[in-house]
Structures are given as structure tokens and as C-alpha cells.
Amino acid sequence: VSTNRWHRWESGKWTREPWPESWTISQLAVTHEETWWAASSHGLVRRTASGWEPEAIIDAGDRAWAVRSVRGVAVDASGQLWFASKAGVGCRTSKGWRFFEGKDGLPWNEFTRIAAGRDGEVWFGTTRGAIRWDGREFHYRQGPRWLPHDEIIDVAVDRDGTAWFATK
């Protein structure tokens, strides 16, 4: 993935995926059903047969979230879709979208990436540390005790459940 185009390996060769040239890509994720999602400068978008389409993000109270710049997207162990934006994070559950903001315990919201772990935890990289969602609450890791630098460039979780962070 680059900032405005991406390729996939298919049948022994690289194939360029169609992508609007003026949009930037932050992160890609694939659901268990093989649906492709992108965190982009035009919001959370889904790949369809006709191209990339923005996802309408409506909460339980029929409030639309005007999410323009999505920084991260991931699919957790139970198949729930997560995204991170400047306004907070959202998770699509069987009951609809669930949103988390500062009032819900989210300690910081300048996100850079998301990675989901095998046991249902979700890690968020930010410009000021890492945040872990354990299914009930957020846990914040910031400063030299936890990270060599607070600005996280990327996050990955290995098969053993260990979270890895690329920092500035």
C-alpha cells in the first residue's frame, strides 16, 4: 500500500487495484467474509463490485458521524469492524455502530493505526502512545516505560498475541 494506490498479489503477478487518485489510504483490512475496507481521507470505505464506496456511519440514536479522515481500520477476532478517526473510535457490532470518545474512557484520539489481537483485544497507535481495548475498558501506554518514542507509525499483533509497535 502507498498513500494513494495499492497492489495485490494474484495468480503469480501484481495487480493494481482501482483507487481514486485524490484519496489517500491509511490502512486496509479484510473481514472473514473477504470484504475489503480502507481507512482513507474520504472516510471508511468498502470495496464493492463497482469500486470503493463510503460507509454511512450511523449510531443507535440515528446520529450520523461525519467521519472524513479515517486513520485506521481493523477486524477483531469476533469479526467486528473497527475504525479510528479524530473524533474517536467506532466498532460495528451485531446491534449497529458503537462509538467511543473521551467520555467513554478513550485517553487520546490522534490515531495512526489499529491492530486486532487473537483474544479480542484491539490496539490503537496514536501520536502520543498506544491504547489497548480489552473488551471492557481502554489501557493507555505512553512514555519511556512503555515505548522508545510516543509517536507510533504502525502496530502489529503476532500469533502469540504480542503487540509490536513501529515508532518514530
Side-chain angles (χ1 to χ4, degrees):
V1 175
S2 72
T3 58
N4 65 358
R5 65 176 170 232
W6 64 286
H7 297 75
R8 73 184 152 116
W9 184 255
E10 184 176 53
S11 303
K13 66 177 182 171
W14 288 104
T15 304
R16 184 172 179 185
E17 282 292 314
W19 183 261
E21 288 293 325
S22 63
W23 295 12
T24 58
I25 303 167
S26 297
Q27 193 171 16
L28 294 169
V30 182
T31 66
H32 303 301
E33 297 83 26
E34 302 277 326
T35 301
W36 285 82
W37 292 91
S40 80
S41 58
H42 278 64
L44 181 64
V45 294
R46 178 175 44 94
R47 185 173 176 242
T48 67
S50 59
W52 289 91
E53 296 180 4
E55 176 74 5
I57 301 174
I58 311 290
D59 69 13
D62 289 331
R63 180 180 67 154
W65 271 42
V67 179
R68 188 78 169 147
S69 178
V70 174
R71 302 301 175 99
V73 62
V75 178
D76 70 17
S78 63
Q80 296 180 132
L81 180 68
W82 288 81
F83 75 89
S85 72
K86 287 188 174 186
V89 299
C91 174
R92 192 173 64 191
T93 69
S94 60
K95 297 177 183 177
W97 285 102
R98 179 177 179 192
F99 298 99
F100 301 94
E101 303 169 89
K103 65 183 171 88
D104 304 305
L106 190 62
W108 188 249
N109 63 1
E110 281 190 49
F111 296 97
T112 56
R113 293 287 188 271
I114 301 176
R118 65 182 183 147
D119 296 327
E121 73 279 4
V122 181
W123 286 94
F124 301 91
T126 77
T127 58
R128 288 197 182 167
I131 301 168
R132 180 179 180 264
W133 169 253
D134 67 7
R136 292 184 317 275
E137 60 187 0
F138 293 100
H139 303 272
Y140 190 38
R141 310 250 190 321
Q142 183 264 336
R145 175 179 180 199
W146 299 102
L147 300 161
H149 193 282
D150 282 337
E151 188 170 340
I152 295 174
I153 299 165
D154 209 349
V155 181
V157 180
D158 67 20
R159 289 184 186 137
D160 296 328
T162 302
W164 295 87
F165 302 95
T167 66
K168 190 172 181 180

